[in-house]
Amino acid sequence: MEGPQQQQQQQQQQAAAPPPGPAAAGEERRSEEGRDAAGGAAALGRPLGPTPSQSRFQVDLVAEGAGRPEGEPRKAGGEGGAAGKGSEEAKGRFRVNFVDPSAGDESPGEPGGGSSEGGNVSFQNGGDTVLSEGSLHSGGHHHYYYDTHTNTYYLRTFGHNTMDAVPRIDHYRHTAADLGEKLIRPSLAELHDELDKELFEDGYANGEEGTPAGEAAATYTADSKGVVKFGWIKGVLVRCMLNIWGVMLFIRLSWIVGQAGIGLSVLVIGMATVVTTITGLSTSAIATNGFVRGGGAYYLISRSLGPEFGGAIGLIFAFANAVAVAMYVVGFAETVVELLKENGTLMIDEMNDIRIIGAITVVILLGISVAGMEWEAKAQIVLLVILILAIGDFVIGTFIPLDSKKPKGFFGYKAEIFMENFGPDFRHEETFFSVFAIFFPAATGILAGANISGDLADPQSAIPKGTLLAILITTLVYVGIAVSVGSCVVRDATGNVNNTIVTELTNCTTAACKLNYDFSSCQTGCQYGLMNNFQVMSMVSGFAPLISAGIFSATLSSALASLVSAPKIFQALCKDNIYPAFQMFAKGYGKNNEPLRGYLLTFLIALGFILIAELNVIAPIISNFFLASYALINFSVFHASLAKSPGWRPAFKYYNMWISLVGAILCCIVMFVINWWAALLTYVIVLGLYIYVTYKKPDVNWGSSTQALTYLSALQHSIRLSGVEDHVKNFRPQCLVMTGPPNARPALLHLVHAFTKNVGLMICGHVHMGPRRQAKKELSTDLAKYQRWLIKNKMKAFYAPVHAEDLRDGGQYLMQAAGLGRLRPNTLVVGFKKNWRQGDMRDVETYINLFHDAFDVQYGVVVIRLKEGLDISHLQGQEELLSSQEKSPCTKDVIVKVDYSKKTETDASIAFAPSSSERTPTLHKEEDADGKTPTQPLLKKDSKSPSSPLNLADQRLLDASTQFQKKQGKNNIDVWWLFDDGGLTLLIPYLLTTKKKWKDCKIRVFIGGKINRIDHDRRAMATLLSKFRIDFSDIMVLGDINTKPKKENIAAFEEMIEPFRLHEDDKEQEVADKMKEDEPWRITDNELELYKTKTYRQIRLNELLKEHSSTANIIVMSLPVARKGAVSSALYMAWLEALSKDLPPILLVRGNHQSVLTFYS
C-alpha cells in the first residue's frame, strides 16, 4: 500500500512533529495509532497527547464522503474511487463518543471546531466534531479520532481495511463519567445487512433531546478534574482500623479479661474475628466481581441479590450508621464528663453534660465531613496517629511497674498473675455469651472502607487488601493487649497502700498474696483491679492523658467514619429510586458529588439519639443491623456461587461458597447471642422492607444472582421433567393460542388464561407476514414489548412471534417448534374466522388447513367464537401502543442502545400487524391508511381518542372483549359432549369452575341418545362423571338430534354456500376440473349430497343450542371433524358457521382422542 497513503502520512508527520523512531514489534499498534492520531490532530490544529477523560459525549452520524472538515486526509489510495461506496456503507450508523470539550474551546476558529457539516449531531457546547470512524478505533488514551481508512494498523494486521472493530475495553463500558470513553462496536446488522439506500427512515440520527443518548449526555456532565480518590491505605486500611478499634479497646477489654480470663478472652476475640474475616473474604469476592460504584454494602448486596434484599439492607444499614454516630459521640462525651467529674467541674449534671458535649461534637464532625472527603481523610490520619501513640503508651507502661501502682493491682509481667487470670471468673450473672455480646461490637466496622467505594481510586484491589489487613492488625492488637493486661494486673485491688504484707503468710492462694499484697479485705467491693476499674489501661500506661486522647480518637474516628458512610449509602439507595419518597436525597453537590442533604439527615438522626442519651437500649439493635448486613453479604457470595452465573468470576479467589454460608449462619447466631429481642426486631424490619420492595417491583435490572438462580432452577427442572413420561393424571391443557398481537384479542386471551393459569402452559402465537426485512425488525421489537405487556397485565403466558409466508406456515412452525421438553403445547386455540364470507377464500383454505395440520401433529383443537367478534385492534391499536411505549426497556445504569433509532418507525406501523389485518380484511379504509403510514397513528391520537363516540357494533365488541375479566355469577356452563375425544371437552369446563371468577357456575352436560333409552343413558353418564369426580348440576339426553331441521334454516344454509359451489353438473367436465384445481375450496355437488346428513345435523344442533343453552354463560361443544381431502374448506367453514351462529360465547373443542381424564388413583 505504498503511494498516496504513505505520502499523506509523511506530510502529516512533517506538519505535526518529527517522525518517531522505529517502534519495537510489540508496540507496533500503539505507535501507529499514536502517529495517526497525531497526524489527524495536527491537521485539525488540536493539541496532542492524552487528556483527562471527559464524560460529555456526542452522537455523530458517520458520513465519510460528505462534509469532511478541511485538513482531514482523503481516503486511502488503495480504495481509489470508492469514496461514494464508503459513504453509502456508513449511512444509517451512529455512535456515541466521549469527547474533550477543552480541545474545542482552545481552537474555536480552527476547521472542525464549531462548524460541522454533514450529518454530525453533537451534544456539547465545545462544538468539537469527531472524525468519521475514529470513534470505533481511537488509539491508546488519545481523545482525538481519525479515519479507519488511513489506519495502517488494520491494513497490516488483516491485509485490508475493515469496519470490524478489534477487542478493546471501551466497547464494554457503561457510559460512566470517570472511566474513559464509551465506544459502540459496529452492530451485526451494520456488518451483515444489505446496504441501505436511505439514511434513516425517520430522517434523524439518534440524538434528539428525548433519546437516552441525550439524557445521558445531560446527566453525566460532572467534571472529572479535581475529584478526590483514595488509595487502599488512606481509603480502606486507615478507615477500617479506626472503626474497628473503638472505645472497647481502652475501657472494656480489661474488664472482659477479668470476667472471662485470658484463655476465654482470646477465644472471644477469635470468634469475633472468624465472623468478620469470613465477611471480609465475602466482601472482597463481591467487590472484585466487576466495577464497584458508590454505596458500599448496599451496592454490593443489591447488585448481587437484587433490589429486594439490597433495598432492605441499604435502609437499615444507613440508619444503623447514623445511629452509630450518636453511639460513638456519646461514648466520647461520657469520657469527657468523667474527666470533668474527677476535676469537679460539671456544668449541670452528668446526663445533661453528655447531651451538651455530644451536640457540640456532632456539629463539629458535620463541619469536617461537609468540608469534603479530603479534610475528612486528613482528620482520620491524625486520629490514627493519636490512637497508635496511645496503644504504644500502654505497651511501654506495662514494662515499667511503679510501686505507687501496686496497691491498685498492677505488678508488671508476672507468671503468677498470668496463671491466676488464665481461667474465667464470671461475676454479677455474666456468662461467656454475655461477655461475647459486649465485645462483638468492637470487631465490627470492617465495611468502613467498602462504604466509601465510590471515593476509592481502585475499589477492586483496595477493598480486599485494606479490609483483610485491617482485620489482621486489629485482631493482633486486641489479643496482645488482652494477654498483656491479663499478665500484669490482678482482678481485685483495694488501692490502699497499707495492705502490704509484712509477715509471711503460709496459706497464700492469690497471686497478689504471693507478691506481698493482701487484697482479701474487699473481695466483693474493691475499687481497683481488672474487674472493678474500667480505667485500668490509663492506670497501667506510662502517660495517662495519652490514653484519654486515644479514647477520644477512637470514638471520634468511628463517629466520623459512620457520619460519612451513612449519607453515601443512603445517596446510592436513593439514586436507584427503590423508595421513591426519598428521591430528593439522591442529589449530590460539588465535584465529589457530596450528598449534603444526606449529611444533614444523618446529623439530625444522630442529634436526636444523642439527646435521648439512653444508648444501652439502642446499642444491641445497631449491632444487629450491622450483623444483618454482614449475614447478607456472606449469603450473596454463597447465592452467586450456587447460581453458577457465567458473570460471577471474582478476581479475588480466596473465598469458598460453603464458608460464606457458614459465615452467614454464624452472623444470624451471633445476633441472637447479643440480644434475642433485637434480633427478632431486625428480622421483622428486614422482612417488612423486603416485602415492600417486592410488592413495589422497582424497574431495575442488575443481573442479580436471584435471576441467575431462577434461570438455573427452571433449566434443571425442565430437564428433569423431560425424563418423566406423561401420565394421564398429570395431563394439562397446554395451549398455543393464535392471538396475533396479544392485546388485539383480549377475550380470547382472558378465556384461555382462565383455564390455563397456574395449570398449564399458554403461548401466544403471532405470525408476521410481509416483507422479510420489515418483519425481522418487528419481531425483535415485538418480543420485548408484548412479553412486557403480558407481564404488566398479569398474564401467565409466553409470547412467540414467527415470520412466515402465510398463516398456515407460521402455524406449522409454531406447532413444531414452540415450547421446550415437556413444556410444549398440545392444544391449538384459534378465534373463529367471523368475516370468512366477505374475504378472500384462499384465507379460509389456509385457516381450515391449520386445523388439519394440528390434527396431523396430534394436537387438540379449540375454536372460540363470540357473536360480536374477537379482534379489537382497529379500535385501540394506537392508544395501546402509546401506553405500552411509556415504559421503554432502558436500564437504570445508562446504557445507550443502538436500536433506539428504529423505534418510532417500527412501533407505529405494527399497530396493524399483518396477521391481524390479513385475518380481518374488512377494516375501515381510514384505519387501513393509518396502518400503512408509519407516522400517522402517533399524530392522529387526538382525532381517534377514546372520547370520540364509537358506533354501536364497535361498542358491543369492546364490551364483549372484557366479559371474561369480570366475575361470572351463578350461571351455567353448558357442555355438549357429543363425541368422546378423550375428555378434553369435559376437562376445560371443569378447570374453568376451579377459578375464582367462575366458581359459582354450574356445569350442565348434554349428550345424544335414543328416545327409548334416555334414562339409561343419563344414568350411565352420571356414573361416569361421578367416577371422574366432576360436579354437575344436570344431565340432559337429547333424543331428537337426528330430526330434520326447519325448512327456513336449511334454505338459509343453502343460500350461504351458494357463492362457493362448483356446480360441476352444469359445466363441461374440463372446465369443472380446471376450476376445481384452481379453487380447491369450492363445494362440489357430489360432496354436498354425500355429507347431507352431517350438514343437517349441524343445522339441527344450532336449533337445539338456541333452545337449551341461549342463557348459558359459555357453551363448550364437540368440534365436528372433516376428513382431509374429502370435505372442502368452504363446506367445513359453513358447518362451523351454521353450528355456532347467534349463540353465547362458544368453545368448539376436539381433543386428540387420547384420554385426558381417568378414574384410577
Side-chain angles (χ1 to χ4, degrees):
M1 291 295 296
E2 287 297 322
Q5 190 179 4
Q6 293 291 72
Q7 286 163 15
Q8 274 170 10
Q9 285 199 341
Q10 282 160 15
Q11 285 159 15
Q12 283 171 18
Q13 284 159 10
Q14 285 155 13
E27 301 220 355
E28 176 183 298
R29 173 184 184 192
R30 212 169 40 200
S31 68
E32 281 298 334
E33 290 191 342
R35 222 167 346 164
D36 277 60
L44 290 178
R46 296 191 192 147
L48 299 176
T51 56
S53 163
Q54 297 291 317
S55 61
R56 312 255 191 100
F57 62 97
Q58 77 181 17
V59 178
D60 62 65
L61 211 61
V62 181
E64 279 124 329
R68 179 186 287 104
E70 310 140 48
E72 181 181 326
R74 288 269 327 147
K75 281 223 182 297
E79 291 219 350
K85 173 172 165 273
S87 61
E88 209 169 81
E89 179 177 303
K91 280 178 186 173
R93 283 191 289 123
F94 63 89
R95 66 185 51 82
V96 178
N97 301 319
F98 280 76
V99 296
D100 178 11
S102 61
D105 297 340
E106 283 171 39
S107 55
E110 296 297 326
S115 63
S116 82
E117 303 163 24
N120 281 333
V121 180
S122 74
F123 267 123
Q124 87 299 3
N125 310 328
D128 195 7
T129 65
V130 175
L131 299 183
S132 54
E133 287 239 337
S135 47
L136 284 176
H137 317 297
S138 62
H141 291 293
H142 292 288
H143 289 257
Y144 305 108
Y145 306 117
Y146 47 92
D147 204 318
T148 329
H149 295 284
T150 63
N151 184 355
T152 52
Y153 168 67
Y154 280 78
L155 271 174
R156 293 196 188 173
T157 311
F158 302 113
H160 66 97
N161 279 329
T162 171
M163 247 177 75
D164 240 346
V166 290
R168 56 176 300 181
I169 190 168
D170 296 322
H171 294 140
Y172 294 91
R173 294 194 197 284
H174 290 335
T175 50
D178 48 2
L179 286 179
E181 48 206 312
K182 157 76 176 162
L183 302 182
I184 297 182
R185 67 179 75 77
S187 70
L188 195 57
E190 287 174 37
L191 297 175
H192 172 252
D193 281 5
E194 299 162 33
L195 291 181
D196 238 345
K197 288 290 173 280
E198 67 286 345
L199 193 60
F200 273 91
E201 279 88 340
D202 53 359
Y204 279 111
N206 187 10
E208 292 303 305
E209 274 73 15
T211 62
E215 284 160 22
T219 312
Y220 289 109
T221 50
D223 191 359
S224 59
K225 286 175 191 159
V227 173
V228 183
K229 295 286 181 192
F230 303 119
W232 71 274
I233 295 180
K234 213 171 175 183
V236 184
L237 181 69
V238 170
R239 264 163 212 289
C240 289
M241 280 163 60
L242 280 169
N243 226 10
I244 295 170
W245 281 332
V247 197
M248 292 294 176
L249 180 62
F250 298 106
I251 301 181
R252 289 283 188 279
L253 193 57
S254 55
W255 176 85
I256 288 169
V257 174
Q259 289 280 1
I262 294 170
L264 289 183
S265 297
V266 173
L267 183 65
V268 163
I269 296 167
M271 281 170 59
T273 306
V274 165
V275 174
T276 54
T277 306
I278 293 175
T279 309
L281 293 172
S282 299
T283 308
S284 304
I286 302 178
T288 58
N289 188 49
F291 172 64
V292 179
R293 288 226 179 90
Y298 159 72
Y299 187 87
L300 298 179
I301 292 172
S302 63
R303 295 313 189 267
S304 298
L305 287 178
E308 296 85 6
F309 277 121
I313 277 301
L315 206 55
I316 68 165
F317 195 64
F319 179 73
N321 270 304
V323 179
V325 175
M327 205 165 70
Y328 294 128
V329 169
V330 168
F332 165 75
E334 276 179 358
T335 317
V336 176
V337 171
E338 282 290 319
L339 290 174
L340 291 177
K341 202 165 83 176
E342 280 175 26
N343 300 323
T345 52
L346 283 177
M347 290 180 276
I348 303 168
D349 55 43
E350 278 193 50
M351 206 56 161
N352 287 317
D353 278 13
I354 288 174
R355 287 173 181 156
I356 293 165
I357 294 165
I360 295 167
T361 311
V362 80
V363 171
I364 295 167
L365 290 178
L366 177 71
I368 294 175
S369 37
V370 169
M373 293 296 286
E374 279 172 286
W375 286 94
E376 193 264 348
K378 284 172 186 159
Q380 296 278 25
I381 297 277
V382 173
L383 292 172
L384 182 68
V385 170
I386 298 171
L387 202 56
I388 290 171
L389 286 175
I391 292 168
D393 176 34
F394 164 77
V395 173
I396 293 165
T398 57
F399 292 104
I400 319 172
L402 298 171
D403 285 348
S404 62
K405 292 182 182 175
K406 284 186 179 175
K408 295 184 179 178
F410 170 51
F411 295 92
Y413 290 100
K414 296 279 186 260
E416 299 94 328
I417 300 180
F418 179 80
M419 293 308 292
E420 184 181 86
N421 286 347
F422 193 79
D425 178 16
F426 293 115
R427 300 183 197 167
H428 310 300
E429 297 182 356
E430 296 291 349
T431 62
F432 174 75
F433 286 115
S434 69
V435 169
F436 176 74
I438 286 167
F439 173 75
F440 189 82
T444 58
I446 58 168
L447 293 181
N451 285 341
I452 60 153
S453 52
D455 294 296
L456 299 174
D458 180 11
Q460 287 193 318
S461 72
I463 292 174
K465 271 197 292 199
T467 307
L468 294 171
L469 195 57
I471 292 172
L472 179 68
I473 294 171
T474 50
T475 305
L476 291 176
V477 171
Y478 275 137
V479 171
I481 290 180
V483 172
S484 64
V485 87
S487 315
C488 296
V489 187
V490 293
R491 280 192 166 113
D492 297 289
T494 55
N496 190 342
V497 186
N498 302 333
N499 284 11
T500 48
I501 300 170
V502 184
T503 55
E504 285 288 323
L505 285 180
T506 49
N507 56 347
C508 266
T509 52
T510 62
C513 173
K514 291 173 188 165
L515 295 165
N516 296 339
Y517 272 81
D518 177 17
F519 295 140
S520 53
S521 60
C522 69
Q523 202 67 50
T524 50
C526 292
Q527 292 293 307
Y528 294 95
L530 294 176
M531 292 296 238
N532 312 303
N533 182 8
F534 286 153
Q535 305 290 342
V536 166
M537 284 186 70
S538 41
M539 186 258 300
V540 172
S541 65
F543 180 62
L546 247 182
I547 296 291
S548 297
I551 294 173
F552 295 166
S553 161
T555 49
L556 292 178
S557 63
S558 297
L560 199 51
S562 298
L563 185 57
V564 170
S565 296
K568 295 272 184 195
I569 295 164
F570 195 53
Q571 183 186 28
L573 180 71
C574 297
K575 266 187 181 161
D576 289 334
N577 202 14
I578 287 176
Y579 303 107
F582 298 142
Q583 189 58 41
M584 57 177 287
F585 293 102
K587 187 169 167 52
Y589 295 86
K591 59 192 176 191
N592 255 30
N593 201 23
E594 294 287 352
L596 296 187
R597 296 173 180 181
Y599 279 129
L600 206 61
L601 183 69
T602 308
F603 165 74
L604 293 173
I605 292 172
L607 194 61
F609 280 103
I610 288 168
L611 296 179
I612 294 170
E614 275 296 321
L615 284 178
N616 290 347
V617 181
I618 290 152
I621 301 178
I622 300 308
S623 296
N624 275 340
F625 280 4
F626 282 129
L627 274 165
S629 41
Y630 292 179
L632 276 181
I633 285 178
N634 285 317
F635 182 68
S636 301
V637 171
F638 169 73
H639 201 269
S641 306
L642 188 69
K644 298 189 181 72
S645 167
W648 172 251
R649 36 180 197 280
F652 182 83
K653 294 288 181 244
Y654 307 102
Y655 72 94
N656 177 290
M657 61 186 282
W658 300 109
I659 290 176
S660 293
L661 181 63
V662 168
I665 294 165
L666 281 177
C667 288
C668 295
I669 294 169
V670 172
M671 284 169 75
F672 276 100
V673 166
I674 288 178
N675 190 312
W676 65 267
W677 61 262
L680 288 176
L681 183 67
T682 308
Y683 285 140
V684 168
I685 292 172
V686 172
L687 196 65
L689 290 170
Y690 179 89
I691 291 166
Y692 170 80
V693 179
T694 310
Y695 172 72
K696 279 288 184 194
K697 285 200 181 65
D699 185 25
V700 291
N701 179 8
W702 294 323
S704 64
S705 60
T706 317
Q707 292 172 348
L709 200 63
T710 308
Y711 172 84
L712 191 68
S713 57
L715 183 66
Q716 287 171 343
H717 283 103
S718 303
I719 290 169
R720 195 176 309 157
L721 197 62
S722 300
V724 182
E725 280 301 313
D726 279 334
H727 190 281
V728 62
K729 276 198 297 189
N730 290 331
F731 174 86
R732 296 159 184 273
Q734 311 211 77
C735 299
L736 170 60
V737 192
M738 303 300 280
T739 56
N743 53 5
R745 296 175 175 75
L748 184 63
L749 202 66
H750 285 287
L751 183 56
V752 179
H753 191 248
F755 64 82
T756 58
K757 181 186 175 186
N758 297 337
V759 175
L761 176 74
M762 175 172 167
I763 295 179
C764 298
H766 183 181
V767 181
H768 285 262
M769 295 168 278
R772 184 185 164 83
R773 287 188 69 178
Q774 177 68 12
K776 283 278 177 282
K777 281 181 189 171
E778 284 177 7
L779 283 183
S780 55
T781 48
D782 280 10
L783 188 58
K785 185 174 82 180
Y786 287 127
Q787 190 62 59
R788 218 171 42 243
W789 185 89
L790 288 167
I791 291 165
K792 192 172 138 200
N793 288 278
K794 298 190 169 62
M795 290 283 157
K796 300 196 173 178
F798 297 96
Y799 172 69
V802 291
H803 173 253
E805 293 303 313
D806 62 22
L807 186 65
R808 183 181 185 183
D809 284 353
Q812 284 178 340
Y813 299 158
L814 284 167
M815 284 187 275
Q816 291 171 46
L820 194 70
R822 288 258 171 269
L823 297 173
R824 302 186 75 92
N826 52 26
T827 308
L828 176 73
V829 182
V830 291
F832 181 77
K833 195 168 181 60
K834 184 176 174 226
N835 55 356
W836 64 278
R837 281 178 286 173
Q838 291 83 28
D840 186 343
M841 284 308 287
R842 278 175 302 205
D843 288 347
V844 176
E845 179 84 358
T846 304
Y847 178 75
I848 296 300
N849 280 332
L850 205 56
F851 297 8
H852 294 314
D853 294 338
F855 290 135
D856 285 345
V857 291
Q858 292 293 300
Y859 269 54
V861 172
V862 178
V863 182
I864 297 179
R865 179 170 190 181
L866 270 60
K867 58 174 175 277
E868 298 85 0
L870 290 165
D871 188 355
I872 63 165
S873 58
H874 60 287
L875 298 180
Q876 43 66 283
Q878 290 91 326
E879 279 73 38
E880 276 289 334
L881 262 157
L882 287 159
S883 67
S884 67
Q885 269 316 95
E886 281 162 20
K887 290 179 83 128
S888 62
C890 162
T891 52
K892 275 281 178 288
D893 296 329
V894 182
I895 298 167
V896 179
K897 295 210 174 167
V898 188
D899 260 5
Y900 276 120
S901 62
K902 299 159 187 144
K903 259 217 175 323
T904 34
E905 153 265 328
T906 47
D907 283 351
S909 59
I910 117 189
F912 305 96
S915 61
S916 60
S917 52
E918 297 212 0
R919 275 191 248 174
T920 50
T922 53
L923 290 178
H924 309 311
K925 279 286 162 281
E926 184 194 346
E927 275 102 44
D928 259 2
D930 273 4
K932 292 189 181 72
T933 46
T935 49
Q936 209 107 342
L938 301 173
L939 302 176
K940 293 191 73 162
K941 183 172 196 274
D942 297 336
S943 64
K944 280 195 71 70
S945 66
S947 56
S948 61
L950 295 164
N951 62 40
L952 197 59
D954 283 348
Q955 190 56 53
R956 281 194 188 140
L957 173 58
L958 264 183
D959 294 345
S961 71
T962 58
Q963 62 182 322
F964 299 124
Q965 297 169 38
K966 306 185 187 87
K967 197 159 172 52
Q968 297 299 310
K970 296 192 173 181
N971 247 325
N972 292 323
I973 297 178
D974 284 0
V975 182
W976 291 62
W977 196 15
L978 306 177
F979 308 105
D980 191 345
D981 58 353
L984 188 63
T985 314
L986 196 57
L987 182 63
I988 288 175
Y990 163 72
L991 289 174
L992 277 177
T993 58
T994 61
K995 296 296 186 285
K996 201 161 61 181
K997 290 191 177 95
W998 295 83
K999 70 174 190 301
D1000 296 336
C1001 292
K1002 296 275 184 287
I1003 294 179
R1004 295 194 303 179
V1005 181
F1006 295 79
I1007 53 170
K1010 290 186 178 154
I1011 288 182
N1012 55 358
R1013 293 185 53 191
I1014 282 180
D1015 279 354
H1016 175 269
D1017 287 347
R1018 181 185 280 124
R1019 274 199 304 277
M1021 179 50 73
T1023 310
L1024 181 61
L1025 290 176
S1026 60
K1027 282 204 166 172
F1028 283 149
R1029 305 171 303 288
I1030 288 176
D1031 293 332
F1032 57 91
S1033 64
D1034 196 6
I1035 294 176
M1036 295 188 70
V1037 182
L1038 304 165
D1040 49 355
I1041 284 183
N1042 292 326
T1043 320
K1044 197 173 178 188
K1046 295 176 185 161
K1047 281 204 173 86
E1048 62 267 29
N1049 290 340
I1050 296 175
F1053 181 83
E1054 282 173 348
E1055 188 188 327
M1056 176 173 72
I1057 62 168
E1058 184 56 41
F1060 313 118
R1061 289 184 58 178
L1062 185 62
H1063 291 300
E1064 74 268 27
D1065 295 351
D1066 305 346
K1067 295 186 174 70
E1068 290 186 17
Q1069 186 71 35
E1070 277 179 26
V1071 177
D1073 288 353
K1074 178 84 172 71
M1075 202 169 168
K1076 181 69 181 163
E1077 196 177 310
D1078 292 343
E1079 298 176 339
W1081 42 265
R1082 286 205 176 269
I1083 306 169
T1084 62
D1085 299 346
N1086 182 26
E1087 165 188 24
L1088 204 55
E1089 193 55 43
L1090 196 60
Y1091 293 109
K1092 193 174 187 175
T1093 51
K1094 196 161 185 178
T1095 302
Y1096 284 176
R1097 189 185 317 133
Q1098 312 311 327
I1099 303 169
R1100 175 67 186 143
L1101 280 171
N1102 182 258
E1103 292 170 4
L1104 289 167
L1105 281 162
K1106 283 177 181 161
E1107 185 184 329
H1108 295 287
S1109 295
S1110 56
T1111 58
N1113 259 21
I1114 195 164
I1115 303 168
V1116 183
M1117 186 173 199
S1118 298
L1119 172 77
V1121 177
R1123 190 172 294 285
K1124 198 165 43 168
V1127 178
S1128 60
S1129 306
L1131 181 58
Y1132 189 30
M1133 200 71 213
W1135 285 350
L1136 298 183
E1137 172 74 42
L1139 174 64
S1140 61
K1141 70 177 180 198
D1142 303 328
L1143 289 169
I1146 180 166
L1147 273 71
L1148 299 172
V1149 180
R1150 177 64 70 146
N1152 62 1
H1153 286 248
Q1154 287 168 356
S1155 297
V1156 300
L1157 295 168
T1158 179
F1159 44 78
Y1160 295 108
S1161 61

